[in-house]
Amino acid sequence: MIQIVPVSQTAPLFEKQGAASTETQGLAGLPFADILQESMEQMWETQRISNQDAYDLAMGNTDDIASVMIHSAQATAAMELTVQLASRAVSAYKEILQMQI
């Protein structure tokens, strides 16, 4: 006969905090447009670094292929994140327009 052992409660991985993290609190007072502008500037900076690394590699000015690949992956991730955010913002806007009052 199979014995079923009850599952005991496990300890939480992270402690719940009463207040939001300091990063979230810092962003809470900023308008959405400022947050979006800062994110776009960070994305453009990441793209610029990746492009410069690719140029340096093509011209033979660098031997650090790992760094070039890391910066390229960061630029790709930043671009994908930006596209997803824009897509979701447009979807949310369309959904708000379709709401009945």
Side-chain angles (χ1 to χ4, degrees):
M1 182 176 260
I2 299 175
Q3 290 183 341
I4 299 175
V5 179
V7 177
S8 62
Q9 186 175 6
T10 59
L13 294 175
F14 303 102
E15 294 296 323
K16 293 182 180 178
Q17 297 177 353
S21 69
T22 56
E23 181 178 323
T24 305
Q25 288 176 351
L27 295 177
L30 292 176
F32 179 72
D34 292 345
I35 295 170
L36 187 60
Q37 180 66 29
E38 183 179 331
S39 297
M40 290 296 293
E41 289 172 2
Q42 289 176 354
M43 189 223 20
W44 287 118
E45 181 63 22
T46 304
Q47 290 286 333
R48 188 194 63 74
I49 291 170
S50 176
N51 290 341
Q52 184 61 44
D53 283 351
Y55 178 80
D56 289 343
L57 183 66
M59 292 299 175
N61 297 335
T62 185
D63 295 334
D64 190 11
I65 295 176
S67 172
V68 173
M69 293 302 296
I70 289 171
H71 289 145
S72 175
Q74 286 175 341
T76 301
M79 181 60 75
E80 288 176 4
L81 176 66
T82 303
V83 168
Q84 285 294 321
L85 286 175
S87 167
R88 290 181 185 207
V90 168
S91 295
Y93 180 73
K94 286 181 180 179
E95 202 169 308
I96 289 171
L97 286 178
Q98 293 176 355
M99 285 184 179
Q100 293 181 0
I101 300 175

